[in-house]
Amino acid sequence: VRPHPSVQDAYSIELDIPLADAAKKPDVVSDIFGKIINYCRDKIPQPHVEKTRLFVFATAGMRLLRHDEQERILDSVHDFLLKNSPFKLKRRYIRVISGLEEGLYGWVSVNHLLNIFETDKPTVGALDLGGASFQIAIQVPGAASSSSLYNVTIGNKHLKLFAHSYLGYGVNQALKKITNSIAAVQDTKFITNPCVHADYRGQIDDVFFVGTGNFTMCSKLISAMLIKSPEFET
């Protein structure tokens, strides 16, 4: 799915290193935030740099870690930023956010970048497929009923949203579940995986796989193992 051009053209920096990797590789913190600091320093007018607050909101990859591992990584981020960042910072600005927050912030960001809040246009829904979780947020009619409904105020607009986060359903975690399940059923550590590009070879945990790129078979596995889960009855 390609993002809307207005969103795609927004300021962005590509980072392919999960912060959760810092649990085993402490250098990840400097690799990630060194790039962020340099990027932001060039975008913010110099007189405003020291007054600009820096927030770090970690998402699903971090939520999968134990609480003590989360805190150790967040402390490392704080220490690194204190020594290397010119921006305004407090320890409470650095935390792991909930799946609900992740979904709502994503929805606000998309609609803000499309300038929808400043017009009478209907809002757009946001689907956010990450590595460890999947979020959905969409405005719903006032009469809608669900345990995942939230009232949100944006300026002078009062909106009702359906928002939910599915932890463990991001692309990496979903592929891990499917790969390990195939290996368990076939009782082997060497498998073919229909949900991976044909002839691609890789390893997840202690399972080695070769992709077959079989869309029909992959769809059946996803439906049986993931979509038909009680989680999606929300």
Side-chain angles (χ1 to χ4, degrees), residues 48-62:
H48 299 285
V49 169
E50 293 185 358
K51 300 176 183 178
T52 299
R53 297 182 184 184
L54 175 60
F55 293 83
V56 177
F57 286 173
T59 54
M62 287 284 286

Side-chain angles (χ1 to χ4, degrees), residues 56-60 62-63 70 74 93-106 165:
V56 177
F57 286 173
T59 54
M62 287 284 286
R63 291 199 293 273
Q70 294 179 17
L74 296 179
Y93 294 171
I94 304 172
R95 64 185 179 90
V96 178
I97 62 174
S98 68
L100 171 60
E101 289 177 296
E102 187 175 356
L104 290 177
Y105 287 147
S165 176

Side-chain angles (χ1 to χ4, degrees), residues 6 9-10 12 18 21 54 60-61 66 83 86 91 99 104 111-112 115 127 131 141 157 165 172 175 177 183 206:
S6 298
D9 293 340
S12 64
D21 282 3
L54 175 60
R66 298 193 316 267
K83 296 175 182 176
R91 177 59 178 84
L104 290 177
N111 284 275
H112 169 69
N115 295 317
L127 301 176
K157 295 185 177 182
S165 176
N172 295 336
L175 182 60
K177 289 178 182 178
D206 58 348

